[in-house]
Amino acid sequence: MKAHKSDVLIVGGGFMGAASAFFLRQRGRSVTLLERDQIGQYASGVNFGNVRRQGRALCQLDLANRSWALWKRLPALIGEDLEFLPSGHMRVCYDEAHIDELRAYAAAPEARALDLEVITGKALHQRFSFLGPEVKAGSYAPHDGHANPRLAAPAFARAAVRAGARVEERTEVRDVQKIGGEFHVTTVDGQVFIAEQLLITAGAWGSKLSEQFGEPVPLETHGPQMAVTEPVPYALPTVIGVFTKIPEEVIYFRQIARGNIVIGGGYRSRPDMLTRRVQVEPRSTLNQIEQMQRLLPGAANLNIIRVWSGIESYTPDSLPVISASSKVDGLFYAFGFCGHGFQLGPGVGEVMAEWMSTGQTSTHVAPFDVRRFAPPAALQQGEPMVLKTGSNAR
């Protein structure tokens, strides 16, 4: 069978992989994207849809700001509408002791571009009268907002294809060999793909690939818990999330233009990584209903019409892996986004395209280096390297 050659091969067709493929084509690189199932099927398509910068680790804000600039250019950038609405985002708290933390975050130099405003007491409830009486304060980010996660990765993938990329769904990688200066990738159905550079954007399966190159990442997998209500008149443009140290109090909601209120947060479930399935936890749905009554009393009598989950991966320090390999020339990683990668998607794609095309990036990504996990002894560069992925790789 004839091998397919390109400059860059991407394994994993979530938001990060699709955006990287698009921006690589903008730089004139030939690119092939392989996805074992469907584009955006896992974390990228089932998340809450927050396009927020506030609340992120301060070291992420340079990347988040770059991504936000790209979100503002939609849909002109890719020719499709992702329903991005910069309607504002607010973190609220029930505990007055947390107000100082909200203020400290807002005052940090890294957060300057967010234009955060901390509002307390009577002023908060006059401005956001729908909030429950237990809410003590809120940090308001006027430029953040939300979008439709089901649309994002497929739209970027289609834009990449229109720009000349090759995107292969239902294509499972069987093994990878690094021979000389090229990666040779063989799929389960016998296709062979060859490229000078390899980008692993395989989400919760990322470490199954990176560990074969001597760079394991200690990922935990969880299933986010999501629900949506029946439609009601549109009145809640601002995305609201609770800032708390109590896990069951973590809840967030947004209302879409059709009137439904999307709810996330609370208890998470454990995915089955072999079957690639995850269940909704009934206790999480019940907890969401209870917490919504505290946060948004007016929603107490609304009906939940659908619930769902997905598969997300989490690192011990809650920071992603965005890195060149320290072991293998031409190998790059972008995975492990800890349940808050959606807003970063366009920025990660542009950063990876810049990095892989020029050898460097202007965005601060040093805290996300794969080497922080102190992997075992390095594999020797330059010798043939075989990666066996079997049924656990995407």
Side-chain angles (χ1 to χ4, degrees):
M1 183 176 291
K2 181 180 178 180
H4 309 286
K5 298 195 70 171
S6 57
D7 296 329
V8 180
L9 181 63
I10 302 173
V11 177
F15 200 176
M16 307 308 168
S20 297
F22 172 77
F23 285 110
L24 282 161
R25 285 301 303 142
Q26 301 308 295
R27 289 179 172 269
R29 308 296 302 284
S30 60
V31 56
T32 299
L33 170 61
L34 305 181
E35 164 56 44
R36 183 178 60 187
D37 291 303
Q38 292 180 294
I39 297 294
Q41 181 172 335
Y42 294 99
S44 296
V46 299
N47 63 81
F48 177 69
N50 239 342
V51 183
R52 65 165 178 87
R53 291 173 293 169
Q54 86 155 321
R56 297 185 174 279
L58 293 174
C59 65
Q60 278 193 6
L61 289 182
D62 189 37
L63 175 60
N65 289 339
R66 180 169 183 169
S67 196
W68 179 69
L70 295 167
W71 278 103
K72 288 196 301 179
R73 292 171 54 194
L74 298 176
L77 179 66
I78 59 171
E80 297 193 39
D81 185 4
L82 305 187
E83 299 179 3
F84 171 50
L85 185 64
S87 57
H89 175 276
M90 189 163 64
R91 287 200 300 167
V92 302
C93 64
Y94 299 128
D95 190 339
E96 291 185 350
H98 293 156
I99 297 176
D100 286 344
E101 293 184 56
L102 294 177
R103 287 176 172 152
Y105 187 93
E110 297 91 336
R112 185 178 298 110
L114 279 61
D115 295 329
L116 296 176
E117 177 186 5
V118 178
I119 315 167
T120 62
K122 184 177 179 180
L124 175 71
H125 288 277
Q126 287 179 336
R127 187 165 168 183
F128 300 94
S129 59
F130 53 81
L131 292 172
E134 293 184 67
V135 178
K136 298 297 191 294
S139 173
Y140 180 65
H143 312 302
D144 290 352
H146 58 94
N148 189 334
R150 294 184 179 277
L151 303 178
F156 266 89
R158 286 190 293 267
V161 170
R162 289 193 294 270
R166 180 181 186 134
V167 174
E168 297 283 346
E169 295 182 295
R170 305 294 186 188
T171 303
E172 182 174 354
V173 172
R174 187 181 68 203
D175 61 77
V176 175
Q177 298 183 47
K178 178 72 186 297
I179 303 174
E182 294 181 320
F183 293 92
H184 291 241
V185 177
T186 305
T187 65
V188 170
D189 62 2
Q191 296 185 80
V192 178
F193 297 87
I194 299 175
E196 295 178 359
Q197 293 178 309
L198 174 65
L199 172 59
I200 294 174
T201 55
W205 293 266
S207 186
K208 294 293 184 183
L209 305 179
S210 69
E211 68 185 11
Q212 302 300 320
F213 292 105
E215 296 178 302
V217 176
L219 292 182
E220 284 194 4
T221 55
H222 296 285
Q225 303 293 292
M226 309 297 301
V228 65
T229 74
E230 62 188 313
V232 292
Y234 185 73
L236 305 168
T238 304
V239 183
I240 307 289
V242 176
F243 171 54
T244 176
K245 307 297 173 64
I246 302 173
E248 56 265 31
E249 288 184 342
V250 175
I251 193 172
Y252 32 87
F253 73 83
R254 64 184 178 94
Q255 188 177 25
I256 62 175
R258 292 181 292 277
N260 308 80
I261 298 174
V262 182
I263 305 166
Y267 305 105
R268 298 178 300 199
S269 56
R270 283 284 187 182
D272 185 326
M273 298 303 288
L274 292 178
T275 64
R276 307 192 293 279
R277 298 291 182 183
V278 61
Q279 302 298 318
V280 171
E281 290 277 357
R283 66 168 184 156
S284 183
T285 304
L286 293 173
N287 180 67
Q288 287 173 342
I289 294 171
E290 180 181 344
Q291 295 301 323
M292 281 292 286
Q293 291 175 350
R294 298 176 66 192
L295 183 60
L296 184 66
N301 295 322
L302 293 182
N303 293 309
I304 299 293
I305 61 173
R306 187 165 65 89
V307 296
W308 69 94
S309 187
I311 300 177
E312 296 178 334
S313 59
Y314 294 76
T315 61
D317 57 10
S318 295
L319 296 176
V321 176
I322 305 172
S323 178
S325 171
S326 65
K327 308 287 187 181
V328 182
D329 289 340
L331 176 62
F332 293 81
Y333 306 117
F335 63 85
F337 284 86
C338 306
H340 51 250
F342 184 65
Q343 189 274 344
L344 299 177
V348 170
E350 191 175 52
V351 163
M352 299 315 298
E354 177 189 32
W355 199 348
M356 298 176 76
S357 300
T358 69
Q360 59 186 356
T361 176
S362 57
T363 297
H364 180 57
V365 293
F368 318 133
D369 197 296
V370 69
R371 288 175 293 182
R372 72 188 191 271
F373 295 112
L379 294 170
Q380 295 297 315
Q381 293 191 28
E383 65 184 29
M385 187 176 303
V386 179
L387 164 60
K388 298 292 185 182
T389 63
S391 61
N392 289 326
R394 182 161 64 98

